[in-house]
Amino acid sequence: MPTVIINDESVESQIGERLLDTARRDAAHIGFVCDGNGLCQMCECVVLKGGDHLSPPNQIERIWLTEDQLEYGTRLACQVSVRGPGPVEVLTRAERLRREAIDVISPPPGTNVGENLGRLVNDLLRINVDHVERWPFNMLYALSNTLAVQFSLNNLWQIFGDTIRITTKLLRSDRVSVSDVSRTPPELQSLPKSES
Ligand code: FES
């Protein structure tokens, strides 16, 4: 079975399975507000390793993601499926932001609140700038498809259940700093060091 490492945790996947479904089954920290319909981008993740074991970017990903993002390994987990044995390693945007926020509240040794806050703000700004860069195609796509998405009662129950499982798992998890260089996209590691 293909191995996928999501936010540092190894999970067994299946050939043809979407990364989002693998993540949800394992209660990995990932967003899925639109339930995997390619509308919310909350499932965005960065492929750190094994990208050639995944399906190539599809049309929906090309609507939402810039060329730079795709080149960098950014994918929408609800649009990408496992195609090879792996291992594939990904860091979800939800988890990256969580780690950045924790580093602000409780800075790891050698860092300070200011620089960690700068990184978090920079990341949030970058996410919004990237979205604007894809205007108006992404918004037109979202508007034309939102009404077509129908959540069955079953889906709502599943969304609720998965959210509870993910939250419970997060509350039990050990702290991981985004400053762990092996787990952090390079552009977020390059903050200027504090003068002090
Ligand atoms: S879950 Fe909404 S875009 Fe992937």
Side-chain angles (χ1 to χ4, degrees):
M1 277 196 176
T3 302
V4 179
I5 301 160
I6 305 174
N7 304 334
D8 302 333
E9 202 174 301
S10 191
V11 190
E12 285 199 343
S13 185
Q14 291 163 20
I15 298 289
E17 185 170 60
R18 298 185 307 172
L19 271 185
L20 178 64
D21 297 329
T22 305
R24 284 176 69 169
R25 198 177 56 245
D26 189 59
H29 188 204
I30 194 165
F32 49 90
V33 170
C34 75
D35 197 28
N37 285 289
L39 296 174
C40 69
Q41 302 154 79
M42 302 298 283
C43 64
E44 192 184 291
C45 60
V46 172
V47 179
L48 303 171
K49 219 187 275 175
D52 45 341
H53 296 272
L54 297 172
S55 58
N58 67 13
Q59 205 193 343
I60 294 175
E61 290 181 282
R62 292 190 182 281
I63 285 171
W64 288 109
L65 303 171
T66 65
E67 278 306 317
D68 282 352
Q69 284 179 295
L70 288 170
E71 200 170 309
Y72 179 62
T74 305
R75 304 296 304 267
L76 295 182
C78 69
Q79 301 300 315
V80 56
S81 55
V82 178
R83 291 281 170 88
V88 173
E89 183 166 4
V90 301
L91 177 66
T92 65
R93 183 172 83 186
E95 176 63 11
R96 187 182 76 227
L97 291 172
R98 184 183 81 97
R99 293 178 185 185
E100 288 173 0
I102 289 174
D103 283 358
V104 174
I105 296 163
S106 169
T111 69
N112 61 50
V113 173
E115 70 184 49
N116 295 340
L117 181 61
R119 175 168 50 201
L120 176 60
V121 171
N122 184 41
D123 198 4
L124 290 168
L125 283 176
R126 199 170 45 93
I127 289 168
N128 286 295
V129 168
D130 287 340
H131 289 177
V132 171
E133 220 177 293
R134 296 305 297 144
W135 270 67
F137 311 106
N138 50 5
M139 280 306 118
L140 288 174
Y141 174 80
L143 286 172
S144 60
N145 286 277
T146 300
L147 289 179
V149 175
Q150 298 197 343
F151 298 105
S152 70
L153 271 182
N154 234 2
N155 283 358
L156 288 176
W157 185 243
Q158 185 74 47
I159 290 169
F160 178 72
D162 287 353
T163 303
I164 297 289
R165 288 191 310 115
I166 289 170
T167 307
T168 307
K169 190 170 172 182
L170 274 179
L171 291 173
R172 290 188 183 139
S173 65
D174 293 334
R175 173 193 171 136
V176 180
S177 169
V178 79
S179 304
D180 176 348
V181 290
S182 67
R183 302 295 173 218
T184 306
E187 67 195 69
L188 297 177
Q189 295 168 19
S190 55
L191 279 177
K193 285 283 174 216
S194 139
E195 294 295 314
S196 57

